[in-house]
Amino acid sequence: MGKKVSAFRAKRSCEQAINLWGKKSVKPADFWDFDVSDKKNRLSITPTNFYILRSKERIFLPQGVCVYCRAIDETIGEMRIHYAGFVHPFFGFKKERDAEKGTPLIFEVRGHDVSVVLNDNETLAKLTFYRMSEDCEQEGLSDYCDQILKLSKFFEDFPEN
């Protein structure tokens, strides 16, 4: 049985370039390691490393609501947290993967000079909800509606074990 991934951590050096016009053929293990939280659900963020994390909470937005997501503090101690910023209407709506309602947010985190430990339920971002002037159409839902902790489309799926 495979381990439950808590975060993807970029490898320090990569010899290979990613062909952005090719097929999904890049092996993720050439560029990424995965980290698993400890027995107390803590994750260590180490200096100068780059991580991809997901929120524990899931979001499900109706047609007339969007969200602006901002790091609770862009530099919490010795790490930098980033989210693209905008969550569109119907985010978390089209669920094909599981029976759970909603979708987690994905964060980029970079460690600075000192190791930091992220605890379970630690707040990383503040969400501001906005009512839009008009409701959106459901057509054209993006792939982000059903996102999980995964790498971009240029990578093969990460092996389960």
Side-chain angles (χ1 to χ4, degrees), residues 4-6 52-59 69 83 87 91 100 102-109 120-125 127 147-149:
K4 188 172 184 177
V5 175
S6 298
I52 298 176
L53 308 168
R54 74 166 182 84
S55 67
K56 184 175 182 178
E57 299 80 12
R58 294 170 172 259
I59 296 175
C69 178
Y83 181 77
V87 183
F91 184 87
E100 294 189 55
T103 299
L105 297 173
I106 305 297
F107 296 96
E108 298 172 355
V109 176
D120 189 27
N121 289 327
E122 189 158 342
T123 302
L124 295 181
L127 304 181
Q147 72 184 0
I148 57 171
L149 182 62

Side-chain angles (χ1 to χ4, degrees), residues 5-154:
V5 175
S6 298
F8 287 108
R9 179 176 29 86
K11 290 192 172 185
R12 303 288 295 168
S13 62
C14 301
E15 303 282 328
Q16 178 184 355
I18 297 174
N19 180 358
L20 301 179
W21 295 270
K23 292 184 179 179
K24 183 179 179 179
S25 62
V26 180
K27 297 195 180 316
D30 292 343
F31 293 88
W32 299 92
D33 288 316
F34 59 82
D35 288 351
V36 178
S37 56
D38 66 15
K39 292 178 183 176
K40 294 182 180 179
N41 285 333
R42 298 177 303 189
L43 181 68
S44 287
I45 303 296
T46 54
T48 69
N49 282 323
F50 176 78
Y51 299 82
I52 298 176
L53 308 168
R54 74 166 182 84
S55 67
K56 184 175 182 178
E57 299 80 12
R58 294 170 172 259
I59 296 175
F60 175 87
L61 295 179
Q63 62 188 5
V65 175
C66 65
V67 169
Y68 177 70
C69 178
R70 189 179 132 259
I72 196 75
D73 181 347
E74 289 188 3
T75 55
I76 296 178
E78 291 297 327
M79 65 181 175
R80 166 108 169 74
I81 300 167
H82 173 73
Y83 181 77
F86 180 76
V87 183
H88 57 79
F90 291 111
F91 184 87
F93 183 81
K94 183 177 118 182
K95 295 295 294 175
E96 296 173 356
R97 187 175 323 284
D98 55 36
E100 294 189 55
K101 191 173 186 179
T103 299
L105 297 173
I106 305 297
F107 296 96
E108 298 172 355
V109 176
R110 179 174 293 281
H112 288 303
D113 298 327
V114 177
S115 293
V116 175
V117 175
L118 287 178
N119 294 298
D120 189 27
N121 289 327
E122 189 158 342
T123 302
L124 295 181
K126 178 182 178 182
L127 304 181
T128 305
F129 292 78
Y130 292 96
R131 178 73 173 114
M132 298 180 64
S133 58
E134 293 183 25
D135 287 346
C136 295
E137 298 292 326
Q138 186 176 344
E139 296 176 28
L141 293 177
S142 75
D143 293 336
Y144 296 112
C145 290
D146 195 21
Q147 72 184 0
I148 57 171
L149 182 62
K150 67 178 181 178
L151 298 172
S152 76
K153 64 182 179 182
F154 302 108

